Amino acid sequence: MNFASDNVVGASAPILEAIVRHNGGAMPAYGADPLTLGLTPRFRALFQHEDLAVFPVATGTAANALALAVMVPPFGLCLCHEEAHVMEDECGAPEFYTHGAKLHGLPGTGGKIAPDTLDGFLSGLTRHVKQMPPRALTLSQLTESGQVYTVEEIAALCRIAHGHGLTVHMDGARFANALSALGCSPAEMTWRAGIDILSFGASKNGALAAEAILVFRQDLADTLEYRRKRAGHILSKGRFLAAQLEAYLADDHWLANAAHANRMAARLAEGLGRIPGVRLAWPVQGNELFPILPDGLDEALRRGGALYYDWTSRSLPAGEAVRAGEGEEVLDLLRRGREGGDQADHRLARAHRL
């Protein structure tokens, strides 16, 4: 049982089939192929935004770092949650591609920044040349604690950020899971709420290696093509990135995968909740679980071959704590649309029984 990451299983069948299907014959290179050119109208229709600019890349780190590079100058400050992926898990890539801009983490329960926290921080800054000026806010959706920002919360944070002259980026590594949880449209969760740039994730939800930077403001898109090339993320055989994204979106495959993952997470959480001594640090809203386990159960699971991560308790809800004899662990539920039927039930049953 491997619950360590959404990335440990392979790509979904429709995406692999699309790569093979588009492998034959000759196509223009470096993104000039019909598949890549077709992504822009496809995403524009999906997000209901006629000026949306689309930049496929191979990794989420590249998507986040390049997006922030067009939003934050070298002397600027980018605000995020103190446990955000861009701050803790990207080896300084955002700082590298912004040529020295700084990430500043804000606290918040469940990996979420509260509007009052953001407004208080921005309002308390001095405006002096010695102070790095804030230029952007980045939000993780889902958060690193598996929580979902509601559309209203996103809009409130964007209003505050824009009011202080910041642009807003969304790290959508689990964008589909959040969208499935909220039941809203892609437009409502992004540009209509005030998001300026989205890192649209696909690799955690069935793709082989495909993400997209979606820019809702043309002034922010102007230099991104050059930055993407300098970063080595314009693939010579770009058709294979486009083929993945095309298959990912076709017939709502991306939404089916995410909905299945969320259902399996909820089902596993229900089973864990019936085990004496086990409780969840945060409610299950997407495809991530954070159970607080008795040490004995933790040891038994690990001896039995279960793989999952230890996790930080920094953003636990008020009044919650990991007590003596307990360990907080993270189970990133690995369920794809392709893992339906008996295979998914069998894996869930094993985890449930343990």
Side-chain angles (χ1 to χ4, degrees), residues 200-224:
F200 180 84
S203 298
K204 290 182 183 296
N205 192 41
L208 178 66
E211 318 280 318
I213 307 169
L214 305 184
V215 187
F216 302 104
R217 284 176 42 183
Q218 187 56 52
D219 61 311
L220 295 175
D222 288 341
T223 65
L224 194 45

Side-chain angles (χ1 to χ4, degrees), residues 124-329:
L125 288 177
T126 60
R127 297 298 185 266
H128 194 281
V129 71
K130 293 186 291 186
Q131 169 73 57
M132 296 180 80
R135 288 291 183 261
L137 168 69
T138 178
L139 305 172
S140 302
Q141 181 74 321
L142 304 169
T143 74
E144 279 64 40
S145 298
Q147 302 302 283
V148 180
Y149 281 104
T150 66
V151 170
E152 294 74 20
E153 288 170 330
I154 295 168
L157 289 166
C158 288
R159 279 194 300 271
I160 294 167
H162 290 156
H164 286 272
L166 280 66
T167 51
V168 187
H169 165 258
M170 177 179 283
D171 176 357
R174 297 182 177 91
F175 184 83
N177 300 96
L179 198 70
S180 177
L182 290 177
C184 62
S185 72
E188 289 169 331
M189 201 168 76
T190 54
W191 65 272
R192 285 181 180 163
I195 297 297
D196 299 300
I197 301 183
L198 166 68
S199 294
F200 180 84
S203 298
K204 290 182 183 296
N205 192 41
L208 178 66
E211 318 280 318
I213 307 169
L214 305 184
V215 187
F216 302 104
R217 284 176 42 183
Q218 187 56 52
D219 61 311
L220 295 175
D222 288 341
T223 65
L224 194 45
E225 192 75 357
Y226 298 98
R227 292 181 183 275
R228 185 172 59 144
K229 176 60 178 174
R230 290 187 73 207
H233 272 273
I234 293 183
L235 274 63
S236 59
K237 297 182 181 179
R239 68 168 115 168
F240 295 115
L241 273 181
Q244 293 178 71
L245 291 169
E246 179 189 61
Y248 184 64
L249 298 177
D251 301 319
D252 287 338
H253 178 58
W254 65 301
L255 296 176
N257 281 3
H260 177 73
N262 289 4
R263 287 195 302 271
M264 294 299 99
R267 190 171 170 188
L268 180 55
E270 181 184 358
L272 286 169
R274 292 200 291 266
I275 300 175
V278 176
R279 67 186 189 280
L280 295 175
W282 301 282
V284 176
Q285 297 182 336
N287 68 321
E288 298 173 274
L289 284 79
F290 297 79
I292 299 175
L293 306 175
D295 285 346
L297 177 58
D298 175 39
E299 293 165 5
L301 284 167
R302 294 183 188 276
R303 283 197 306 271
L307 299 176
Y308 46 87
Y309 292 129
D310 294 331
W311 205 253
T312 174
S313 59
R314 278 182 292 171
S315 65
L316 284 175
E320 181 62 272
V322 179
R323 299 187 287 265
E326 295 178 330
E328 186 184 1
E329 319 295 344

